[in-house]
Amino acid sequence: MDQSESAFRRTTGASADMAREMTHSYETVRESTVSLEQNQEAWGALYTTYTDFTMISQEARKEIGQTTAVLTQLGVNAGDSAKGMQVADKMLGQTGTSAAATLRDLSSLAENIGVAPGQLIAQYGQIGPSLSKLGADGSKAFKELARVSKITGLEMQKLLNMTDKLSLIHISEPTRQAEIS
């Protein structure tokens, strides 16, 4: 654990207290067969990608760190989880702990629709910024896109592009009607 703390501090520049938080968090997630390396990877990705990670409470960091570590055990890249946290927090208006819950929901959704959790969470980090205009409904819209993508076999980005084009047509239609009148 000392080596893990030292490596974490070396790669992130984190304080000794933050490194100690990481190892305390590990004591909980190891019950889920998360390795010390996976835990360190999760905390490192959060520290370097999720900008609010160092500014939130210890309890919130613990929950977010544990969620990310357990997701790595399910095949989700820690960097993709951290990016998803950043998107949910900064672009979709969620708190850190609600963003962690969103990632857990996405992992469950992925299993339910027959998609790899790592793939779905990576797509969330990529497509999330496009959904930011929906605010709090962005995560819900993403889940629906994932479901429709699985049913139709179309990539989520293509579906999103199609919806954007349809909404532009819908928005410009009243203008065209007013011009005809």
Side-chain angles (χ1 to χ4, degrees), residues 71-72 74-78 80-81 83-84 103 106-107 109-111 113-128 142 145-147 149-150 153-157:
L71 287 173
T72 63
L74 299 174
V76 179
N77 177 286
D80 290 338
S81 290
K83 188 174 181 182
L103 293 185
L106 290 176
S107 178
L109 173 66
E111 290 177 19
I113 64 173
V115 175
Q119 176 187 349
L120 192 63
I121 290 174
Q123 288 172 327
Y124 182 71
Q126 293 165 356
I127 293 175
F142 177 82
L145 266 176
R147 190 184 67 71
S149 175
K150 179 64 178 182
L154 295 172
E155 293 176 17
M156 276 200 264
Q157 188 62 54

Side-chain angles (χ1 to χ4, degrees), residues 3-4 8 15 22 28 34 39 41 47 52 66-67 69 79 89 99-100 102 115 119 126 137 159 165 173 179:
Q3 289 176 348
S4 178
F8 174 69
S15 67
M22 178 194 67
T28 302
V34 172
N39 189 62
E41 178 186 351
Y47 190 91
D52 283 358
Q66 289 172 350
T67 294
D89 184 326
T102 295
V115 175
Q119 176 187 349
Q126 293 165 356
D137 292 332
L159 286 170
K165 287 178 184 174
E173 190 63 32
E179 290 172 359

Side-chain angles (χ1 to χ4, degrees), residues 5-15 18 40 43-45 47-48:
E5 284 184 20
S6 295
F8 174 69
R9 291 184 66 199
R10 195 172 41 256
T11 59
T12 64
S15 67
M18 179 75 74
Q40 179 187 330
W43 278 69
Y47 190 91
T48 58

Side-chain angles (χ1 to χ4, degrees), residues 19-113:
R20 178 67 49 198
E21 279 184 55
M22 178 194 67
T23 55
H24 284 265
S25 175
Y26 171 68
E27 294 170 5
T28 302
V29 295
R30 72 180 184 184
E31 295 171 3
S32 301
T33 67
V34 172
S35 72
L36 190 58
E37 292 78 18
Q38 287 170 317
N39 189 62
Q40 179 187 330
E41 178 186 351
W43 278 69
L46 289 164
Y47 190 91
T48 58
T49 304
Y50 177 41
T51 57
D52 283 358
F53 191 65
T54 58
M55 298 183 286
I56 57 178
S57 72
Q58 283 186 351
E59 272 308 303
R61 267 195 304 271
K62 181 179 177 181
E63 179 181 340
I64 292 164
Q66 289 172 350
T67 294
T68 304
V70 170
L71 287 173
T72 63
Q73 185 64 18
L74 299 174
V76 179
N77 177 286
D80 290 338
S81 290
K83 188 174 181 182
M85 290 291 302
Q86 182 74 1
V87 165
D89 184 326
K90 297 298 183 186
M91 296 176 196
L92 302 177
Q94 297 182 6
T95 65
T97 54
S98 64
T102 295
L103 293 185
R104 291 190 300 269
D105 288 347
L106 290 176
S107 178
S108 294
L109 173 66
E111 290 177 19
N112 288 338
I113 64 173

